[in-house]
Amino acid sequence: MFGSKIKLDKDLLAKIKRLADLAGYSSPEEFITHALEKELEQFEGAESEEEIKKRLRGLGYIS
Amino acid sequence: MTGRNPIRTTRRATAALALCTLLLAPAGAAAADKRVVVLGFDGMDYTFARQMMAAGEMPNFERLIERGAAQPLGTSVPPLSPVAWSTFITGMDPSGHGIFDFIHRDPETLFPYLSTSEPEDVGRSVTLGKYQFALSGGGYRLLRQGTPFWEVLEERGVKTTVIRMPANFPVSGSASRELSGMGTPDILGGYGTFSFYSSDIFLEERSLAGGEVRPLDLWNGVAEGTLYGPDNPMLVKRTKLTSDFTLYVDDRQDVAKLVIGDTEQVLRAGEWTEWIDVEFEVMPPLFGFVPLMPNLTGMARFYLRQVRPEVELYASPINFDPYRGDLPISTPDEFAADLAEITGRFYTQGMPEDTQALKGNILTPAEFLEQAQIAGSEVEQQYLPVLERYDDGLLFYYFGNLDLVSHMMWHSMDDGHPAFTEEKWGAHRGVVKELYRTADRIVGQTLDAIDDDTTLIVMSDHGFASWRRTFSVNAWLRENGYLTVKNPDKKKLSILGDVDWSRTRAYGIGLNGLYINVRGREGKGIVHPTEKDALIEEIREKLLAEIDPVTGEPSITKVYATATDFDPGPYLAVGPDLVIGYAKGTRGESDSALGEINADVYTDNLTDWGADHGMDHETVPGVLFSNRPLKQQANSLKDLAGAILAEFEIDGFPVVAAGSQ
Amino acid sequence: MSAINAALRPLFDLLLAPFRGMPAIVGVTLFSLIFGVVALWLVKLTSNPEKVDAAKRKVAAGLLEIRLFNDNLGIIFKAVGSILRHQAAYVGHLLVPFVLMVLLFLPLIAQLQFHWGYQGLQEGDSVLFKVVLQDDWQTRTGSDGADGVPRPSLELELPDGLSLASPPVWSPSEHEMAWQMRADAAGQHEVGVRLGDATHVKKIGVTDRVERLSPERLEAGFTNQLLFPAEPSLGADSAIEKIGLRYPERDVWFFFWRTHWIIVFLVLSILFALILRGPMGVTI
């Protein structure tokens, strides 16, 4: 999954493994990737689809 | 402040150029003496206006056309305000000015965007810890192309004043005085986002169309809330700017004291404030008092909706302050502040009537009308001072209130409308008539103020119709096999993410737009350019044969292929391949306009936005009234600017292409 | 301090009376000229010109030394030491007049602030009027034991020319009662604030002239009277801490510069002092 290995705290990894399944992810990797992507979004300039649509909905013609 | 705004620099250069042209212009003295006043009433319907006149309810319009003319004015295709006004401004079809709808799409990603202006990318920035410093950009760019008619007038030495012309933000810079209108963003960069605060702990914090519902923490008579601004431009991590306020609620009477920044005011339940400064701290001051960056300051109006049982407060979208010059909304730069000096601060955002707060059940129809009255009277109050300061040349003044209030109130005159109920709308049957009487009063004031040599033109961009039925173009395309989704079981489908593009030949974006998924143009296009025309013809025929199963009537009466039905123009590629002209009473569905794929093609329009004009353009003409027959006939919006120029004995409009002058 | 202010208020009202109809900058200019002259006169009276001059010459000599021997670090260090020493001496020689100036001018400037620092309300303006009570207002007013939220029985007596735009809001946490008030007619109005048996009067100016305006009437206290001398203080045993409203701040135009009057005042005073020190024979 990762191009290079990243060290994670043992306890954290155990927690991730336990919760990934509960949260509906197919694997801990998917969970971690998703969490990181979500966090990264906050640093990237591009707005999400939802945010763009939300702004367009300010226009009365569109509800 | 945006001292190094690139748009402003360009505007100054343009203004300087215009001045040189003006000084060097050999003739034009005759033209300069002429006076033409044009009043634009967005959405004034020809048939309804004539009915009101026939009933004797618009005596000043009668006075106006006594020795003049009255006629319906053909509107644009599609008949949507930004398109229609751009056609008026440039004398061209959308192919010539590049505005085809409220919403356009990026052909590569299909992301929708506002058609008239766009924020410029912030260019390179320097990062320092958690802070970033932008080195360029941060302004807005007007996407409407073509040469505005006032530029031609100015070049011939005719002074022009252009107030709140839609699709003119950032302002062109070529008029002597101008103020932007529709298309001017609020502080969040959109068409306006209100905030609604409630102390009701069961009310969920959520986003509505055009607004946010937020909590008010009430404890011992003290309620605290937070206003949200745009992302902090100085922070690397996206963080919203915030500004807190407090309400002190009296324990006996329905009054509360609002404290925000330096402002303190006691409000009764049901009372609106004037404009109040809202300050956002971009960077905390050094040692708590040495300012490192100026704060971002906007302004808002507050409405204390109720105090008991729950405290409810409405905050208008946060507007840019006309005194501050943070946005390129006027020419000269200080003109917006000069207007504010005369009449007080005003909504700088376009389309300020908060239709979304009514649609979201935040404001009642009566409360919405009060808000719309505030917004409308700001515009009306500025009119006479502007008229008084106008000496010669052209004055254009725009009134948008009639359009937005008609959208919400027209259907109160239509008992057969699916959203009509007597208890909600019955009391408001007379509202639209009152709007026309207001227009009549404004025309009366103008007639009293102008001399006999002045030409007065009253016009509108389109008419109005009750909107009963909706048509979802993406659902129709799917049903007819032109659009295929990846997972048919998914509930909420959108062309962004849910479409199998390898089996999709067309999609809809915008209120009237339909696009072919063309190879080489769309990111995942499959239709070969040589097959495009045949597909357009095929879809056009099918759409024209559509019958609404509930009414048994055709739902679409015109379909325009932009490549063949519009005049050739350089911006054809920006817009859709087909523009749908819905039958009077039917309009494109809202979510579909943002690319969503609804389950049903046809639904009743159950929203409070009960009337519209995004239909067959022949069914919703605008008006053209004048106090004298015009020297040059104008049958449609496209001819009108040419006819105005003819009043000044100036020809050479429209200016066909920028390069060929 | 109260007694001084009681004397200064009518004095300044009288002195500034001729300027009421004029832009504030006229009065600011004239008074900065007077202040400049008085300051020079104080220096002349209380400082030793020879010593001041000697210290100034020593500082100049030090600076010259640095320029001449800028390659000799030892001399530079010595020169800098000398400059600092004589600079301190220079300040020391002028300390007495400076302290005198501050003592004399501070109350005067405080007086002027309430003539030039604010703009009166305009007819039609709406303004928040508030009465803040002492922390122990309940003990002071003897209103302990009331049912529900304790609330003082505050009443306003409004003159013609002012009216209430709202009922009051009582904020127990701030022990503050606030009304929205409307200015209906021009004038220096007096609002009576009645709490129990005591009535305090608060002035409210609705005017477009340059007049004395007092945003707040405060409880008794030396600093309060020093910094807010425009109205007499409330009685020492009053349950009211302050009565106030907010006037818009006034800026003055100084050529193309719009700023607070005190900045213009200081700049002009220094300018006048520099111009007049020769003719007045004062060494600074």
Side-chain angles (χ1 to χ4, degrees):
Chain A
M1 188 81 217
F2 298 109
S4 56
K5 280 184 181 165
I6 293 173
K7 267 191 187 162
L8 286 181
D9 182 69
K10 238 187 213 167
D11 293 343
L12 179 65
L13 191 63
K15 220 172 175 180
I16 290 168
K17 279 182 177 164
R18 193 156 37 85
L19 291 176
D21 193 41
L22 279 175
Y25 292 94
S26 61
S27 67
E29 280 86 359
E30 194 186 296
F31 184 19
I32 293 170
T33 310
H34 181 79
L36 288 178
E37 272 172 359
K38 232 170 97 180
E39 185 63 18
L40 280 176
E41 237 173 50
Q42 300 193 41
F43 290 89
E44 282 163 355
E47 287 176 294
S48 69
E49 179 191 332
E50 275 321 300
E51 268 181 85
I52 289 175
K53 282 192 180 171
K54 197 168 115 188
R55 224 171 36 197
L56 294 177
R57 283 178 201 280
L59 175 66
Y61 287 81
I62 295 174
S63 58
Chain B
M1 305 244 170
T2 52
R4 46 190 169 66
N5 188 330
I7 294 165
R8 301 200 146 201
T9 325
T10 331
R11 283 206 292 124
R12 282 202 194 100
T14 323
L17 205 71
L19 190 71
C20 292
T21 325
L22 199 143
L23 293 174
L24 295 174
D33 292 340
K34 178 72 192 163
R35 291 161 51 105
V36 177
V37 176
V38 182
L39 302 183
F41 289 100
D42 201 306
M44 183 174 273
D45 185 76
Y46 184 74
T47 312
F48 193 78
R50 289 315 298 246
Q51 283 167 1
M52 290 279 291
M53 287 163 76
E57 296 209 62
M58 293 171 78
N60 291 305
F61 272 65
E62 291 284 359
R63 218 171 112 201
L64 169 72
I65 62 168
E66 225 165 49
R67 273 172 288 160
Q71 62 166 85
L73 185 66
T75 178
S76 61
V77 174
L80 301 175
S81 293
V83 186
W85 290 104
S86 298
T87 292
F88 170 50
I89 292 169
T90 61
M92 292 193 271
D93 276 338
S95 46
H97 56 64
I99 310 295
F100 290 78
D101 201 299
F102 275 104
I103 312 272
H104 287 174
R105 94 313 181 205
D106 174 2
E108 182 62 32
T109 61
L110 305 189
F111 261 49
Y113 63 88
L114 295 177
S115 61
T116 51
S117 71
E118 67 173 0
E120 291 186 318
D121 285 339
V122 175
R124 271 161 19 89
S125 63
V126 175
T127 307
L128 207 76
K130 62 177 183 173
Y131 294 107
Q132 62 183 5
F133 300 85
L135 300 177
S136 63
Y140 282 88
R141 185 167 56 230
L142 175 63
L143 296 175
R144 195 246 310 130
Q145 310 291 336
T147 307
F149 66 88
W150 58 84
E151 196 171 313
V152 178
L153 287 170
E154 291 277 349
E155 278 165 6
R156 304 287 193 91
V158 178
K159 273 203 277 178
T160 61
T161 303
V162 180
I163 307 297
R164 289 194 178 82
M165 179 68 84
N168 191 38
F169 169 81
V171 284
S172 69
S174 50
S176 295
R177 277 185 227 154
E178 63 188 326
L179 183 72
S180 68
M182 178 189 297
T184 312
D186 71 348
I187 210 163
L188 297 181
Y191 272 120
T193 305
F194 67 82
S195 309
F196 177 69
Y197 298 85
S198 171
S199 61
D200 184 350
I201 52 167
F202 296 109
L203 201 70
E204 194 190 342
E205 183 170 3
R206 64 188 197 274
S207 282
L208 300 171
E212 305 280 348
V213 175
R214 298 193 184 281
L216 206 50
D217 294 327
L218 179 65
W219 181 251
N220 272 349
V222 183
E224 291 178 332
T226 304
L227 290 158
Y228 288 81
D231 284 339
N232 189 334
M234 301 295 296
L235 291 181
V236 179
K237 180 169 177 171
R238 292 177 62 190
T239 316
K240 295 245 176 292
L241 290 165
T242 58
S243 182
D244 295 334
F245 66 87
T246 311
L247 273 169
Y248 295 90
V249 182
D250 191 66
D251 65 318
R252 292 195 188 164
Q253 309 216 47
D254 285 351
V255 279
K257 186 180 77 162
L258 173 67
V259 180
I260 173 159
D262 291 338
T263 309
E264 289 181 287
Q265 185 177 345
V266 171
L267 288 169
R268 295 165 183 269
E271 190 177 342
W272 288 83
T273 68
E274 295 291 315
W275 288 103
I276 292 180
D277 279 346
V278 178
E279 232 172 295
F280 297 103
E281 190 182 274
V282 172
M283 211 178 203
L286 193 65
F287 312 125
F289 67 95
V290 183
L292 294 173
M293 284 293 295
N295 289 343
L296 175 66
T297 308
M299 53 175 205
R301 275 184 189 266
F302 296 83
Y303 168 63
L304 183 62
R305 190 155 189 262
Q306 63 176 47
V307 173
R308 264 170 275 276
E310 300 296 341
V311 185
E312 291 184 354
L313 182 80
Y314 161 96
S316 74
I318 301 171
N319 274 237
F320 284 100
D321 184 341
Y323 277 119
R324 289 179 184 272
D326 290 341
L327 271 194
I329 59 166
S330 73
T331 308
D333 288 348
E334 60 278 9
F335 180 58
D338 292 347
L339 278 177
E341 197 61 46
I342 300 166
T343 61
R345 295 195 283 184
F346 52 90
Y347 276 100
T348 51
Q349 72 170 93
M351 301 197 281
E353 287 79 3
D354 205 339
T355 54
Q356 298 297 58
L358 172 54
K359 276 161 83 177
N361 285 322
I362 295 301
L363 299 180
T364 63
E367 288 170 328
F368 162 75
L369 285 171
E370 200 179 342
Q371 186 275 336
Q373 169 69 29
I374 289 171
S377 60
E378 283 180 356
V379 173
E380 204 187 323
Q381 276 168 22
Q382 285 176 353
Y383 174 58
L384 284 184
V386 167
L387 186 64
E388 275 163 22
R389 283 163 180 74
Y390 154 76
D391 306 317
D392 62 353
L394 171 89
L395 169 63
F396 171 86
Y397 202 96
Y398 169 87
F399 299 89
N401 195 253
L402 188 142
D403 176 75
L404 285 162
V405 179
S406 291
H407 276 295
M408 313 311 289
M409 296 289 156
W410 185 280
H411 70 291
S412 64
M413 304 184 292
D414 177 12
D415 294 5
H417 192 282
F420 178 88
T421 56
E422 183 64 33
E423 71 255 45
K424 186 165 182 182
W425 300 103
H428 304 299
R429 272 199 190 88
V431 170
V432 174
K433 283 188 176 174
E434 194 51 47
L435 299 172
Y436 281 69
R437 282 193 284 267
T438 300
D440 187 67
R441 190 174 66 235
I442 292 164
V443 167
Q445 289 167 339
T446 314
L447 285 170
D448 293 344
I450 59 174
D451 60 26
D452 291 342
D453 298 328
T454 305
T455 304
L456 174 59
I457 295 172
V458 175
M459 49 83 65
S460 70
D461 55 337
H462 54 68
F464 247 92
S466 185
W467 168 27
R468 296 179 173 192
R469 299 283 291 162
T470 70
F471 182 89
S472 298
V473 65
N474 285 318
W476 183 88
L477 287 169
R478 188 182 169 199
E479 214 171 271
N480 286 272
Y482 296 107
L483 185 150
T484 310
V485 299
K486 286 193 268 194
N487 177 4
D489 297 332
K490 199 179 161 197
K491 266 210 174 126
K492 220 176 159 211
L493 294 165
S494 160
I495 61 163
L496 298 168
D498 301 318
V499 164
D500 178 356
W501 290 106
S502 68
R503 292 191 289 155
T504 292
R505 288 181 288 160
Y507 61 95
I509 285 244
L511 289 172
N512 299 74
L514 197 158
Y515 296 81
I516 305 295
N517 187 27
V518 181
R519 190 188 300 170
R521 185 183 72 181
E522 266 71 10
K524 292 168 184 160
I526 57 159
V527 177
H528 195 276
T530 55
E531 296 160 3
K532 189 174 122 192
D533 289 346
L535 182 59
I536 285 174
E537 257 333 291
E538 183 188 316
I539 293 178
R540 188 213 288 254
E541 269 172 38
K542 277 196 187 167
L543 283 170
L544 283 171
E546 264 302 307
I547 301 290
D548 184 331
V550 169
T551 63
E553 303 278 330
S555 53
I556 291 166
T557 47
K558 295 240 172 26
V559 179
Y560 308 87
T562 53
T564 47
D565 292 334
F566 284 168
D567 290 340
Y571 303 103
L572 203 54
V574 175
D577 298 299
L578 289 163
V579 173
I580 302 172
Y582 294 104
K584 197 169 185 177
T586 301
R587 204 206 74 176
E589 206 277 334
S590 297
D591 289 335
S592 196
L594 292 181
E596 284 175 25
I597 307 156
N598 299 328
D600 302 313
V601 177
Y602 292 97
T603 47
D604 272 339
N605 173 28
L606 294 172
T607 67
D608 291 342
W609 184 277
D612 210 282
H613 41 77
M615 302 165 186
D616 177 345
H617 83 288
E618 281 180 11
T619 65
V620 283
V623 303
L624 178 59
F625 299 123
S626 56
N627 65 344
R628 68 187 64 216
L630 298 182
K631 289 178 185 160
Q632 186 178 306
Q633 177 79 13
N635 292 321
S636 77
L637 271 176
K638 209 158 84 172
D639 317 325
L640 184 55
I644 291 169
L645 264 63
E647 293 296 303
F648 291 98
E649 277 155 24
I650 290 173
D651 54 12
F653 191 81
V655 182
V656 175
S660 64
Q661 284 180 63
Chain C
M1 201 66 233
S2 293
I4 298 174
N5 282 334
L8 285 178
R9 273 194 297 271
L11 177 67
F12 272 81
D13 285 348
L14 193 72
L15 285 174
L16 289 165
F19 303 103
R20 276 187 198 149
M22 301 180 202
I25 187 71
V26 180
V28 173
T29 309
L30 191 72
F31 272 73
S32 52
L33 173 65
I34 296 170
F35 274 43
V37 170
V38 173
L40 284 174
W41 178 71
L42 272 177
V43 172
K44 192 172 185 174
L45 221 62
T46 58
S47 73
N48 184 330
E50 282 84 33
K51 284 185 179 168
V52 173
D53 208 33
K56 266 173 70 183
R57 269 187 280 119
K58 292 270 167 58
V59 171
L63 288 171
L64 196 65
E65 243 177 319
I66 293 176
R67 253 177 58 191
L68 290 177
F69 304 101
N70 57 7
D71 50 353
N72 188 328
L73 218 56
I75 293 184
I76 289 177
F77 272 125
K78 248 182 73 190
V80 169
S82 157
I83 289 171
L84 289 176
R85 212 168 52 245
H86 290 106
Q87 188 68 36
Y90 172 75
V91 172
H93 294 316
L94 291 175
L95 195 64
V96 175
F98 182 76
V99 169
L100 278 176
M101 247 185 274
V102 170
L103 285 181
L104 185 66
F105 289 176
L106 196 61
L108 304 183
I109 283 177
Q111 286 286 340
L112 290 173
Q113 161 66 6
F114 297 97
H115 286 266
W116 293 330
Y118 299 97
Q119 289 180 60
L121 303 178
Q122 302 301 303
E123 281 174 50
D125 277 0
S126 173
V127 67
L128 189 90
F129 181 83
K130 60 182 179 185
V131 177
V132 181
L133 302 185
Q134 301 284 3
D135 293 348
D136 58 349
W137 66 270
Q138 279 173 277
T139 337
R140 292 198 193 209
T141 53
S143 65
D144 274 341
D147 290 337
V149 182
R151 186 180 179 113
S153 56
L154 267 168
E155 302 281 340
L156 293 190
E157 291 162 11
L158 287 181
D160 289 342
L162 293 176
S163 57
L164 287 184
S166 79
V169 172
W170 167 244
S171 320
S173 56
E174 318 286 302
H175 23 94
E176 176 210 282
M177 193 78 96
W179 294 258
Q180 200 65 29
M181 200 176 268
R182 201 174 17 246
D184 299 324
Q188 283 285 357
H189 303 298
E190 294 191 342
V191 175
V193 178
R194 198 169 61 235
L195 178 62
D197 302 332
T199 300
H200 300 279
V201 170
K202 174 78 194 81
K203 284 200 159 189
I204 297 184
V206 182
T207 174
D208 44 19
R209 291 152 61 90
V210 182
E211 292 182 37
R212 173 156 55 92
L213 297 166
S214 163
E216 287 182 333
R217 190 170 171 197
L218 300 168
E219 61 184 320
F222 180 77
T223 357
N224 281 350
Q225 269 302 297
L226 183 68
L227 299 175
F228 298 92
E231 263 180 308
S233 51
L234 300 157
D237 53 351
S238 172
I240 299 178
E241 188 185 310
K242 67 175 172 185
I243 307 172
L245 71 152
R246 186 173 294 161
Y247 290 108
E249 286 182 11
R250 182 197 293 279
D251 281 337
V252 296
W253 279 104
F254 184 55
F255 294 102
F256 298 103
W257 191 30
R258 192 175 160 169
T259 183
H260 196 271
W261 73 271
I262 196 118
I263 294 172
V264 179
F265 183 83
L266 289 176
V267 169
L268 284 179
S269 297
I270 292 168
L271 210 66
F272 283 129
L274 288 175
I275 294 167
L276 295 175
R277 67 185 164 162
M280 284 179 67
V282 182
T283 311
I284 46 171

